[in-house]
């Protein structure tokens, strides 16, 4: 079955720097890759997703890139701000139409 | 307002005392799921449901039960809670199968003594 590995588990950056979180998946048939953000004490919320027919998707300061050959996808946050501090989860679909989540990355943005 | 609700938000109980955590969505979503979140382990799926009367085990179903008798509700039942079920629980729903945006409930913090 599908397996998702997420790295790093923690990431600390200075405000204004960029942050990159990477996930690898095992099932080459996977076709949908979302990223969720969970602020402290809150519920996870979708921030961006990508389907396998595109290689990159951007939404203001966040972007997701997909490398189907290498079976990995990454979240890029540019010009980080303190409000970007949160736990970020990647996910990938399983054959039964379900999602499996990565273990999460705790991002800390230092002012 | 479109939302997923869970109750209770916080619960402290004792080993062996049956409890139910309710989950309800008002978006007419087909797919619903339960996750538990533990430090360092991310979101692990307990059970999911693709439609009414259809439920399936996730990655960590032991000690839990669910039912889906109507589309909007997906309760999580712990027949005999144990301390290793102390966790933060999230219910989620999406329009249909999980390859659409999942909307999460606010979470239920459960402590089993």
């Amino acid at each position: 079955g599908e397996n998702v590995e997420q790295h790093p588990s923690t990431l600390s950056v200075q405000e204004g720097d960029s942050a990159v979180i990477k996930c690898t998946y095992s099932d080459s048939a996977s076709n949908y890759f979302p990223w969720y953000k969970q602020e402290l004490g809150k519920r996870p919320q979708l921030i961006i997703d990508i389907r396998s027919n595109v290689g990159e998707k951007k939404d203001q300061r966040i972007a997701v890139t997909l490398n189907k050959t290498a079976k990995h996808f990454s979240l890029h946050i540019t010009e980080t701000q303190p409000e970007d501090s949160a736990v970020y989860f990647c996910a990938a679909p399983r054959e039964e139409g379900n999602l499996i989540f990565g273990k999460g990355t705790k991002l800390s943005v230092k002012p | 307002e479109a939302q997923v609700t869970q109750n209770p938000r916080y619960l402290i109980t004792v080993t062996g005392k049956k409890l139910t955590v309710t989950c309800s969505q008002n978006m007419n979503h087909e797919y619903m799921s339960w996750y538990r979140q533990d430090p360092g382990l991310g979101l692990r799926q307990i059970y999911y449901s693709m439609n009414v009367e259809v439920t399936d085990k996730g990655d960590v179903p032991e000690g839990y039960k669910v039912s889906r008798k109507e589309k909007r509700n997906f309760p999580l039942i712990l027949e005999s809670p144990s301390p290793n079920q102390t966790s933060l629980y999230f219910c989620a729903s999406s329009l249909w199968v999980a390859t659409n945006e999942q909307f999460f409930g606010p979470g239920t913090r459960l402590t089993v003594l």
Side-chain angles (χ1 to χ4, degrees):
Chain A
E2 178 66 280
N3 186 39
V4 174
E5 295 200 1
Q6 183 172 347
H7 298 282
S9 57
T10 60
L11 179 60
S12 181
V13 300
Q14 287 294 134
E15 183 177 358
D17 287 350
S18 295
V20 180
I21 304 169
K22 182 178 176 179
C23 285
T24 59
Y25 60 97
S26 58
D27 186 353
S28 57
S30 293
N31 58 3
Y32 174 72
F33 306 95
W35 285 92
Y36 285 78
K37 175 184 180 182
Q38 184 182 26
E39 297 177 357
L40 188 63
K42 301 291 181 66
R43 71 192 79 186
Q45 290 188 295
L46 180 72
I47 54 171
I48 195 167
D49 57 13
I50 190 169
R51 297 190 186 270
S52 58
N53 56 344
V54 298
E56 183 176 8
K57 184 177 179 180
K58 288 183 179 180
D59 184 1
Q60 298 182 6
R61 294 186 298 106
I62 62 172
V64 56
T65 58
L66 173 64
N67 183 326
K68 290 178 62 179
T69 302
K71 291 191 283 187
H72 66 72
F73 57 108
S74 299
L75 178 70
H76 304 255
I77 307 174
T78 59
E79 301 173 21
T80 53
Q81 301 170 4
E83 52 264 38
D84 294 327
S85 295
V87 178
Y88 292 83
F89 293 98
C90 65
R94 293 192 265 206
E95 58 275 7
E96 60 269 27
N98 220 349
L99 270 185
I100 181 168
F101 285 86
K103 289 184 166 51
T105 297
K106 183 177 181 180
L107 173 65
S108 300
V109 180
K110 298 181 178 179
Chain B
E1 180 189 354
Q3 60 182 344
V4 179
T5 57
Q6 291 178 231
N7 282 291
R9 296 289 314 279
Y10 304 91
L11 179 60
I12 300 174
T13 189
V14 295
T15 298
K17 186 176 182 181
K18 180 180 180 180
L19 66 93
T20 298
V21 184
T22 64
C23 173
S24 183
Q25 50 91 8
N26 62 0
M27 296 171 279
N28 202 36
H29 284 172
E30 302 282 346
Y31 176 93
M32 297 186 74
S33 181
W34 276 103
Y35 299 91
R36 60 177 290 174
Q37 184 175 17
D38 302 289
L41 298 179
L43 293 163
R44 294 184 294 167
Q45 190 177 54
I46 303 170
Y47 270 95
Y48 65 98
S49 171
M50 295 288 191
N51 210 329
V52 176
E53 301 291 1
V54 179
T55 62
D56 282 292
K57 295 178 180 179
D59 298 307
V60 288
E62 295 77 20
Y64 304 95
K65 288 175 60 177
V66 294
S67 68
R68 187 90 183 274
K69 297 178 181 176
E70 48 191 340
K71 185 181 279 190
R72 65 184 293 127
N73 295 323
F74 191 45
L76 179 69
I77 303 156
L78 285 72
E79 295 270 3
S80 182
S82 62
N84 64 11
Q85 293 178 300
T86 293
S87 188
L88 177 60
Y89 291 87
F90 286 102
C91 178
S93 72
S94 64
L95 185 58
W96 63 292
V97 298
T99 51
N100 287 273
E101 179 176 4
Q102 285 200 44
F103 294 86
F104 283 80
T108 296
R109 175 73 67 181
L110 173 65
T111 301
V112 184
L113 302 175

